[in-house]
Amino acid sequence: MTEDLALLDDLLRLCAAAGAEPEVHHTVPEQRASWAEAPLVLVGDDAAARCRGATRRPGVILVGRDHGGLTDPLADPDPDVWRHAVDLGADCVLRLPDAESWLVDRIADAAEGAGQQALTVGVIGGRGGAGASTLACALALAGARTGRRTLLVDGDPLGGGLDVLLGGERAEGRRWPDFVASKGRVAGGALEESLPSVRGLRVLSWDRGDSVLVPAEAMRSVLAAARRRGGIVVVDLPRRVDAAVGEALAQLDLGLLVVPGELRAVAAAHRVATLAGAVLRDLRAVVRGPYAPGLDDRWIADTLGLPLAGELPHDPGLLAALDSGAPPGGEPRGPLGRFCTAFWERALTAEAAS
């Protein structure tokens, strides 16, 4: 809200840089919903007096241009400005251009955080070769078929690349080595647009180089940006728990531990469950046949002390399909596709109910 054309030009430019759509008024709009429901309200110091009496709400910033060379962009020596800020209940007072970087981040955070965060599901193998990467890809494909924005994150640098498993290794876009230096806030929209688009979803995987390390801070920043965009995020995770994997586990809504139906797999999965469960608040077992004598899905889940998320049906044609270049779970009517469709129906219904 401002009639200062120079300030308005600055604010429109900063909104564009943050990927936000601004709604411009000279004073408090007659439709009070615009004031009450906007993620963020920027009030120019020229309009502050005209906004007196407006309903108090969080997320109001009083902003003006610096004509006096202030050394602190979040401070203003003018007592009238502070009185207006108190009248408005403003979060802070700031001056441009010194506060531009801070304000762009605040606008972007408000715009991206306006909706519901993505439902984020991680998949971990109970032992090597359990089929966690296969299930992660199939879940992501099924998630995309629901019509929701879907992002698949390859958190296992030694797994060979989920883009390869999906047949998208030649798709253009950024890979993990491009994000290893990420610190602080990453723009969710820019992240999504920079990633390869493969079979209706966005994929963050690895290139074919030698880099196999993601710093914990980069994992935290990238996953937080992905979640702010809403929709569905699926993360394929390794069995080890280092600092980066710990950051990923902390951002999951739900973890799936894939356990083949054999005693050694159950023993190995118990160790993985103990490590992951120390960070992840909701870890469930997905049990995969065929079973060793005397074992079934319920016994395995009970032995691990985990809720049973479901039994992954045996698909005798899966290996042949993968060898032919078909993505795992790409056929909705196949056993794996049906399992993943049913999983999202339950998970998304539970999310809506909460």
Side-chain angles (χ1 to χ4, degrees):
M1 280 174 279
T2 182
E3 289 184 317
D4 183 332
L5 295 182
L7 177 60
L8 178 60
D9 285 344
D10 285 339
L11 295 178
L12 292 177
R13 172 174 53 82
L14 297 181
C15 286
E21 180 93 24
E23 181 179 327
V24 180
H25 296 273
H26 299 310
T27 186
V28 177
E30 293 183 5
Q31 298 293 331
R32 293 303 176 103
S34 295
W35 169 273
E37 297 175 6
L40 190 67
V41 176
L42 306 178
V43 178
D45 55 5
D46 66 295
R50 298 194 298 276
C51 295
R52 292 185 65 181
T55 302
R56 288 188 171 243
R57 50 150 293 165
V60 176
I61 297 177
L62 187 58
V63 57
R65 292 172 56 82
D66 179 12
H67 302 292
L70 294 175
T71 58
D72 182 355
L74 302 182
D76 197 310
D78 186 345
D80 289 335
V81 171
W82 283 107
R83 279 194 293 270
H84 291 317
V86 171
D87 290 340
L88 289 172
D91 293 351
C92 63
V93 177
L94 57 84
R95 290 296 185 187
L96 304 181
D98 288 343
E100 285 191 357
S101 177
W102 184 91
L103 185 54
V104 167
D105 283 347
R106 182 68 184 271
I107 295 170
D109 284 343
E112 291 183 352
Q116 188 173 16
Q117 287 201 333
L119 178 59
T120 306
V121 176
V123 186
I124 313 169
R127 66 151 168 79
S133 296
T134 298
L135 178 58
C137 287
L139 283 172
L141 290 170
R145 288 195 293 268
T146 68
R148 288 170 170 80
R149 175 188 288 111
T150 304
L151 194 153
L152 175 62
V153 179
D154 188 349
D156 186 358
L158 302 180
L162 296 187
D163 55 346
V164 177
L165 193 55
L166 290 171
E169 65 271 19
R170 300 193 180 190
E172 294 186 359
R174 301 177 73 182
R175 265 73 175 179
W176 262 122
D178 298 312
F179 295 99
V180 294
S182 298
K183 295 180 180 180
R185 184 190 168 281
V186 175
L191 170 69
E192 182 181 8
E193 293 173 4
S194 72
L195 298 178
S197 178
V198 182
R199 301 183 185 274
L201 54 96
R202 296 284 181 170
V203 181
L204 175 54
S205 190
W206 298 85
D207 62 11
R208 312 283 83 85
D210 296 331
S211 176
V212 293
L213 178 64
V214 176
E217 188 170 0
M219 179 67 77
R220 183 192 315 125
S221 298
V222 168
L223 272 186
R227 297 188 70 210
R228 284 196 301 270
R229 293 290 288 169
I232 291 170
V233 175
V234 179
V235 188
D236 180 34
L237 293 169
R239 295 169 60 222
R240 71 180 188 280
V241 179
D242 57 17
V245 174
E247 289 290 349
L249 289 170
Q251 296 200 49
L252 298 181
D253 296 304
L254 170 64
L256 300 177
L257 182 65
V258 184
V259 189
E262 57 191 48
L263 282 175
R264 288 189 63 196
V266 175
H270 187 273
R271 294 186 175 184
V272 178
T274 299
L275 291 172
V279 181
L280 179 57
R281 59 185 178 273
D282 189 353
L283 180 63
R284 307 179 192 181
V286 173
V287 182
R288 178 171 65 82
Y291 298 100
L295 304 189
D296 61 24
D297 54 344
R298 291 287 178 185
W299 184 90
I300 291 173
D302 290 344
T303 299
L304 294 172
L306 298 177
L308 179 63
E311 181 185 20
L312 197 60
H314 179 59
D315 186 352
L318 180 60
L319 289 178
L322 294 177
D323 288 341
S324 69
E331 173 50 59
R333 291 170 293 183
L336 184 55
R338 292 198 307 271
F339 174 89
C340 294
T341 298
F343 170 83
W344 288 122
E345 287 176 352
R346 295 191 303 269
L348 294 170
T349 299
E351 181 193 39
S354 63

Short mmCIF file of all heavy atoms in Angstrom, two decimals, residues 202-248:
data_model
loop_
_atom_site.label_atom_id
_atom_site.label_comp_id
_atom_site.label_asym_id
_atom_site.label_seq_id
_atom_site.Cartn_x
_atom_site.Cartn_y
_atom_site.Cartn_z
N ARG A 202 9.19 -34.03 -11.31
CA ARG A 202 10.53 -33.45 -11.24
C ARG A 202 11.44 -34.38 -10.44
O ARG A 202 11.01 -34.95 -9.44
CB ARG A 202 10.49 -32.07 -10.59
CG ARG A 202 9.69 -31.04 -11.37
CD ARG A 202 10.44 -30.53 -12.57
NE ARG A 202 9.66 -29.53 -13.29
CZ ARG A 202 10.15 -28.78 -14.28
NH1 ARG A 202 11.41 -28.90 -14.64
NH2 ARG A 202 9.38 -27.90 -14.90
N VAL A 203 12.68 -34.52 -10.89
CA VAL A 203 13.60 -35.48 -10.28
C VAL A 203 14.91 -34.79 -9.93
O VAL A 203 15.54 -34.14 -10.77
CB VAL A 203 13.89 -36.65 -11.24
CG1 VAL A 203 14.84 -37.66 -10.57
CG2 VAL A 203 12.60 -37.34 -11.66
N LEU A 204 15.30 -34.90 -8.66
CA LEU A 204 16.61 -34.44 -8.21
C LEU A 204 17.47 -35.68 -7.97
O LEU A 204 17.28 -36.40 -7.00
CB LEU A 204 16.51 -33.61 -6.94
CG LEU A 204 17.84 -33.16 -6.31
CD1 LEU A 204 18.72 -32.44 -7.31
CD2 LEU A 204 17.59 -32.31 -5.08
N SER A 205 18.39 -35.93 -8.90
CA SER A 205 19.21 -37.12 -8.82
C SER A 205 20.68 -36.73 -8.93
O SER A 205 21.05 -35.59 -8.66
CB SER A 205 18.80 -38.11 -9.92
OG SER A 205 19.42 -39.36 -9.75
N TRP A 206 21.50 -37.67 -9.35
CA TRP A 206 22.95 -37.47 -9.43
C TRP A 206 23.39 -37.44 -10.87
O TRP A 206 22.76 -38.05 -11.74
CB TRP A 206 23.66 -38.61 -8.68
CG TRP A 206 23.32 -38.61 -7.24
CD1 TRP A 206 22.24 -39.21 -6.65
CD2 TRP A 206 24.01 -37.94 -6.20
NE1 TRP A 206 22.22 -38.96 -5.31
CE2 TRP A 206 23.30 -38.19 -4.99
CE3 TRP A 206 25.18 -37.18 -6.14
CZ2 TRP A 206 23.71 -37.69 -3.76
CZ3 TRP A 206 25.58 -36.69 -4.93
CH2 TRP A 206 24.86 -36.94 -3.76
N ASP A 207 24.52 -36.75 -11.13
CA ASP A 207 25.11 -36.83 -12.45
C ASP A 207 26.01 -38.07 -12.48
O ASP A 207 26.03 -38.88 -11.55
CB ASP A 207 25.86 -35.55 -12.81
CG ASP A 207 27.01 -35.25 -11.86
OD1 ASP A 207 27.37 -36.14 -11.04
OD2 ASP A 207 27.56 -34.14 -11.92
N ARG A 208 26.76 -38.21 -13.52
CA ARG A 208 27.61 -39.39 -13.64
C ARG A 208 29.03 -39.11 -13.19
O ARG A 208 29.95 -39.87 -13.45
CB ARG A 208 27.64 -39.88 -15.10
CG ARG A 208 26.26 -40.01 -15.77
CD ARG A 208 25.49 -41.23 -15.32
NE ARG A 208 24.78 -41.07 -14.06
CZ ARG A 208 23.57 -40.54 -13.96
NH1 ARG A 208 22.95 -40.06 -15.01
NH2 ARG A 208 22.98 -40.47 -12.78
N GLY A 209 29.22 -38.02 -12.45
CA GLY A 209 30.54 -37.66 -11.96
C GLY A 209 30.90 -38.40 -10.69
O GLY A 209 30.22 -39.33 -10.25
N ASP A 210 31.97 -37.93 -10.04
CA ASP A 210 32.51 -38.61 -8.86
C ASP A 210 31.96 -38.07 -7.54
O ASP A 210 32.21 -38.66 -6.50
CB ASP A 210 34.05 -38.50 -8.83
CG ASP A 210 34.70 -39.21 -10.01
OD1 ASP A 210 34.10 -40.20 -10.50
OD2 ASP A 210 35.78 -38.77 -10.45
N SER A 211 31.25 -36.94 -7.57
CA SER A 211 30.78 -36.33 -6.33
C SER A 211 29.71 -37.20 -5.68
O SER A 211 28.71 -37.56 -6.30
CB SER A 211 30.21 -34.93 -6.61
OG SER A 211 29.67 -34.37 -5.44
N VAL A 212 29.93 -37.59 -4.42
CA VAL A 212 28.97 -38.45 -3.71
C VAL A 212 28.66 -37.90 -2.32
O VAL A 212 28.21 -38.63 -1.45
CB VAL A 212 29.51 -39.89 -3.59
CG1 VAL A 212 29.60 -40.55 -4.94
CG2 VAL A 212 30.85 -39.92 -2.87
N LEU A 213 28.87 -36.62 -2.11
CA LEU A 213 28.67 -36.04 -0.79
C LEU A 213 27.72 -34.86 -0.87
O LEU A 213 27.92 -33.94 -1.66
CB LEU A 213 30.02 -35.58 -0.19
CG LEU A 213 29.94 -34.90 1.18
CD1 LEU A 213 29.43 -35.88 2.23
CD2 LEU A 213 31.30 -34.34 1.59
N VAL A 214 26.68 -34.89 -0.06
CA VAL A 214 25.76 -33.76 0.10
C VAL A 214 25.89 -33.26 1.52
O VAL A 214 25.59 -34.00 2.47
CB VAL A 214 24.30 -34.16 -0.19
CG1 VAL A 214 23.37 -32.97 0.08
CG2 VAL A 214 24.13 -34.63 -1.61
N PRO A 215 26.35 -32.03 1.73
CA PRO A 215 26.43 -31.50 3.09
C PRO A 215 25.05 -31.46 3.74
O PRO A 215 24.03 -31.29 3.07
CB PRO A 215 27.00 -30.09 2.89
CG PRO A 215 27.68 -30.13 1.56
CD PRO A 215 26.88 -31.09 0.73
N ALA A 216 25.03 -31.60 5.04
CA ALA A 216 23.76 -31.61 5.77
C ALA A 216 22.98 -30.32 5.52
O ALA A 216 21.75 -30.35 5.37
CB ALA A 216 24.02 -31.80 7.26
N GLU A 217 23.67 -29.19 5.47
CA GLU A 217 22.97 -27.91 5.28
C GLU A 217 22.32 -27.84 3.92
O GLU A 217 21.22 -27.30 3.77
CB GLU A 217 23.95 -26.75 5.47
CG GLU A 217 23.26 -25.40 5.49
CD GLU A 217 24.18 -24.27 5.91
OE1 GLU A 217 25.36 -24.54 6.20
OE2 GLU A 217 23.71 -23.12 5.96
N ALA A 218 22.99 -28.41 2.89
CA ALA A 218 22.40 -28.42 1.56
C ALA A 218 21.16 -29.31 1.52
O ALA A 218 20.14 -28.95 0.91
CB ALA A 218 23.43 -28.90 0.53
N MET A 219 21.21 -30.47 2.16
CA MET A 219 20.05 -31.35 2.21
C MET A 219 18.89 -30.65 2.91
O MET A 219 17.73 -30.70 2.44
CB MET A 219 20.40 -32.64 2.95
CG MET A 219 19.25 -33.62 3.09
SD MET A 219 18.68 -34.33 1.54
CE MET A 219 20.00 -35.54 1.25
N ARG A 220 19.17 -29.97 4.02
CA ARG A 220 18.12 -29.27 4.75
C ARG A 220 17.49 -28.18 3.89
O ARG A 220 16.26 -28.08 3.80
CB ARG A 220 18.70 -28.65 6.02
CG ARG A 220 17.67 -27.93 6.89
CD ARG A 220 18.32 -27.09 7.98
NE ARG A 220 19.39 -27.81 8.63
CZ ARG A 220 20.65 -27.37 8.73
NH1 ARG A 220 20.98 -26.20 8.20
NH2 ARG A 220 21.56 -28.08 9.35
N SER A 221 18.30 -27.37 3.22
CA SER A 221 17.79 -26.25 2.43
C SER A 221 16.98 -26.72 1.23
O SER A 221 15.91 -26.20 0.94
CB SER A 221 18.95 -25.37 1.96
OG SER A 221 19.66 -24.82 3.05
N VAL A 222 17.50 -27.73 0.53
CA VAL A 222 16.83 -28.20 -0.68
C VAL A 222 15.51 -28.88 -0.35
O VAL A 222 14.48 -28.64 -0.99
CB VAL A 222 17.76 -29.15 -1.47
CG1 VAL A 222 17.00 -29.87 -2.57
CG2 VAL A 222 18.93 -28.36 -2.07
N LEU A 223 15.49 -29.74 0.67
CA LEU A 223 14.25 -30.41 1.02
C LEU A 223 13.21 -29.43 1.56
O LEU A 223 12.01 -29.55 1.28
CB LEU A 223 14.51 -31.51 2.04
CG LEU A 223 14.86 -32.89 1.49
CD1 LEU A 223 14.95 -33.91 2.61
CD2 LEU A 223 13.87 -33.35 0.43
N ALA A 224 13.65 -28.45 2.34
CA ALA A 224 12.71 -27.45 2.85
C ALA A 224 12.08 -26.68 1.69
O ALA A 224 10.87 -26.39 1.70
CB ALA A 224 13.42 -26.50 3.80
N ALA A 225 12.88 -26.34 0.68
CA ALA A 225 12.35 -25.64 -0.49
C ALA A 225 11.36 -26.52 -1.25
O ALA A 225 10.30 -26.06 -1.69
CB ALA A 225 13.49 -25.23 -1.41
N ALA A 226 11.69 -27.80 -1.40
CA ALA A 226 10.79 -28.71 -2.10
C ALA A 226 9.46 -28.84 -1.37
O ALA A 226 8.39 -28.86 -1.98
CB ALA A 226 11.46 -30.08 -2.24
N ARG A 227 9.50 -28.91 -0.04
CA ARG A 227 8.28 -29.08 0.74
C ARG A 227 7.40 -27.83 0.68
O ARG A 227 6.17 -27.93 0.70
CB ARG A 227 8.62 -29.39 2.18
CG ARG A 227 9.37 -30.70 2.38
CD ARG A 227 9.50 -31.03 3.84
NE ARG A 227 8.21 -31.39 4.41
CZ ARG A 227 7.88 -31.18 5.67
NH1 ARG A 227 8.72 -30.55 6.49
NH2 ARG A 227 6.70 -31.55 6.13
N ARG A 228 8.01 -26.64 0.61
CA ARG A 228 7.21 -25.41 0.58
C ARG A 228 6.34 -25.32 -0.66
O ARG A 228 5.34 -24.59 -0.66
CB ARG A 228 8.12 -24.18 0.66
CG ARG A 228 8.68 -23.90 2.03
CD ARG A 228 9.23 -22.49 2.10
NE ARG A 228 10.28 -22.24 1.15
CZ ARG A 228 11.58 -22.42 1.35
NH1 ARG A 228 12.00 -22.87 2.53
NH2 ARG A 228 12.46 -22.15 0.42
N ARG A 229 6.69 -26.03 -1.72
CA ARG A 229 5.92 -25.94 -2.95
C ARG A 229 4.61 -26.73 -2.89
O ARG A 229 3.77 -26.61 -3.76
CB ARG A 229 6.76 -26.44 -4.13
CG ARG A 229 7.95 -25.57 -4.45
CD ARG A 229 7.51 -24.25 -5.04
NE ARG A 229 7.01 -24.39 -6.40
CZ ARG A 229 6.38 -23.45 -7.06
NH1 ARG A 229 6.13 -22.30 -6.48
NH2 ARG A 229 5.98 -23.64 -8.29
N GLY A 230 4.45 -27.56 -1.86
CA GLY A 230 3.23 -28.33 -1.74
C GLY A 230 3.24 -29.57 -2.62
O GLY A 230 4.22 -29.86 -3.30
N GLY A 231 2.14 -30.32 -2.59
CA GLY A 231 2.03 -31.53 -3.38
C GLY A 231 2.63 -32.72 -2.67
O GLY A 231 2.33 -32.99 -1.50
N ILE A 232 3.48 -33.46 -3.38
CA ILE A 232 4.08 -34.69 -2.88
C ILE A 232 5.58 -34.66 -3.10
O ILE A 232 6.05 -34.27 -4.17
CB ILE A 232 3.48 -35.92 -3.60
CG1 ILE A 232 2.01 -36.12 -3.20
CG2 ILE A 232 4.29 -37.19 -3.33
CD1 ILE A 232 1.29 -37.15 -4.05
N VAL A 233 6.35 -35.05 -2.09
CA VAL A 233 7.79 -35.24 -2.22
C VAL A 233 8.10 -36.66 -1.76
O VAL A 233 7.69 -37.07 -0.68
CB VAL A 233 8.59 -34.23 -1.37
CG1 VAL A 233 10.09 -34.54 -1.44
CG2 VAL A 233 8.34 -32.80 -1.85
N VAL A 234 8.82 -37.41 -2.61
CA VAL A 234 9.26 -38.76 -2.28
C VAL A 234 10.78 -38.76 -2.23
O VAL A 234 11.44 -38.26 -3.15
CB VAL A 234 8.77 -39.80 -3.31
CG1 VAL A 234 9.28 -41.20 -2.95
CG2 VAL A 234 7.25 -39.79 -3.40
N VAL A 235 11.37 -39.30 -1.15
CA VAL A 235 12.81 -39.29 -0.95
C VAL A 235 13.31 -40.73 -0.84
O VAL A 235 12.84 -41.49 0.01
CB VAL A 235 13.21 -38.50 0.31
CG1 VAL A 235 14.72 -38.34 0.38
CG2 VAL A 235 12.53 -37.13 0.34
N ASP A 236 14.24 -41.10 -1.71
CA ASP A 236 14.89 -42.41 -1.63
C ASP A 236 16.14 -42.26 -0.78
O ASP A 236 17.03 -41.46 -1.11
CB ASP A 236 15.25 -42.88 -3.04
CG ASP A 236 15.92 -44.25 -3.03
OD1 ASP A 236 15.57 -45.07 -2.17
OD2 ASP A 236 16.80 -44.49 -3.89
N LEU A 237 16.23 -43.00 0.32
CA LEU A 237 17.30 -42.82 1.29
C LEU A 237 18.17 -44.06 1.43
O LEU A 237 17.68 -45.19 1.30
CB LEU A 237 16.72 -42.47 2.67
CG LEU A 237 16.03 -41.10 2.75
CD1 LEU A 237 15.27 -40.98 4.05
CD2 LEU A 237 17.05 -39.99 2.61
N PRO A 238 19.46 -43.87 1.72
CA PRO A 238 20.34 -45.01 1.95
C PRO A 238 20.10 -45.60 3.33
O PRO A 238 19.44 -45.01 4.18
CB PRO A 238 21.74 -44.41 1.83
CG PRO A 238 21.56 -42.98 2.27
CD PRO A 238 20.18 -42.59 1.80
N ARG A 239 20.68 -46.78 3.57
CA ARG A 239 20.50 -47.46 4.84
C ARG A 239 21.33 -46.83 5.95
O ARG A 239 21.00 -46.96 7.13
CB ARG A 239 20.84 -48.94 4.70
CG ARG A 239 19.90 -49.67 3.76
CD ARG A 239 20.42 -51.06 3.42
NE ARG A 239 20.56 -51.85 4.65
CZ ARG A 239 21.59 -52.63 4.91
NH1 ARG A 239 22.60 -52.70 4.05
NH2 ARG A 239 21.62 -53.34 6.02
N ARG A 240 22.40 -46.19 5.63
CA ARG A 240 23.21 -45.53 6.66
C ARG A 240 22.53 -44.22 7.07
O ARG A 240 21.74 -43.65 6.31
CB ARG A 240 24.61 -45.23 6.14
CG ARG A 240 24.66 -44.12 5.11
CD ARG A 240 26.05 -43.85 4.60
NE ARG A 240 26.08 -42.66 3.76
CZ ARG A 240 25.72 -42.64 2.50
NH1 ARG A 240 25.28 -43.74 1.91
NH2 ARG A 240 25.76 -41.51 1.80
N VAL A 241 22.85 -43.73 8.25
CA VAL A 241 22.31 -42.46 8.72
C VAL A 241 23.48 -41.55 9.08
O VAL A 241 24.06 -41.65 10.16
CB VAL A 241 21.38 -42.65 9.95
CG1 VAL A 241 20.86 -41.30 10.43
CG2 VAL A 241 20.22 -43.58 9.60
N ASP A 242 23.85 -40.68 8.12
CA ASP A 242 24.86 -39.66 8.40
C ASP A 242 24.15 -38.33 8.63
O ASP A 242 22.92 -38.29 8.77
CB ASP A 242 25.88 -39.57 7.26
CG ASP A 242 25.23 -39.30 5.90
OD1 ASP A 242 24.07 -38.84 5.87
OD2 ASP A 242 25.89 -39.52 4.86
N ALA A 243 24.92 -37.24 8.68
CA ALA A 243 24.32 -35.94 9.00
C ALA A 243 23.29 -35.53 7.96
O ALA A 243 22.21 -35.02 8.29
CB ALA A 243 25.41 -34.88 9.14
N ALA A 244 23.60 -35.74 6.67
CA ALA A 244 22.67 -35.35 5.61
C ALA A 244 21.40 -36.19 5.65
O ALA A 244 20.29 -35.68 5.51
CB ALA A 244 23.35 -35.46 4.25
N VAL A 245 21.56 -37.51 5.84
CA VAL A 245 20.38 -38.38 5.92
C VAL A 245 19.55 -38.03 7.15
O VAL A 245 18.31 -38.04 7.11
CB VAL A 245 20.81 -39.85 5.95
CG1 VAL A 245 19.61 -40.77 6.18
CG2 VAL A 245 21.51 -40.23 4.64
N GLY A 246 20.21 -37.68 8.25
CA GLY A 246 19.49 -37.25 9.43
C GLY A 246 18.64 -36.02 9.17
O GLY A 246 17.50 -35.92 9.65
N GLU A 247 19.16 -35.07 8.39
CA GLU A 247 18.38 -33.87 8.02
C GLU A 247 17.17 -34.27 7.19
O GLU A 247 16.08 -33.71 7.35
CB GLU A 247 19.26 -32.89 7.24
CG GLU A 247 20.32 -32.21 8.07
CD GLU A 247 19.75 -31.21 9.05
OE1 GLU A 247 18.54 -30.89 8.96
OE2 GLU A 247 20.49 -30.74 9.93
N ALA A 248 17.36 -35.23 6.27
CA ALA A 248 16.24 -35.67 5.45
C ALA A 248 15.18 -36.37 6.29
O ALA A 248 13.98 -36.12 6.15
CB ALA A 248 16.74 -36.60 4.34
#
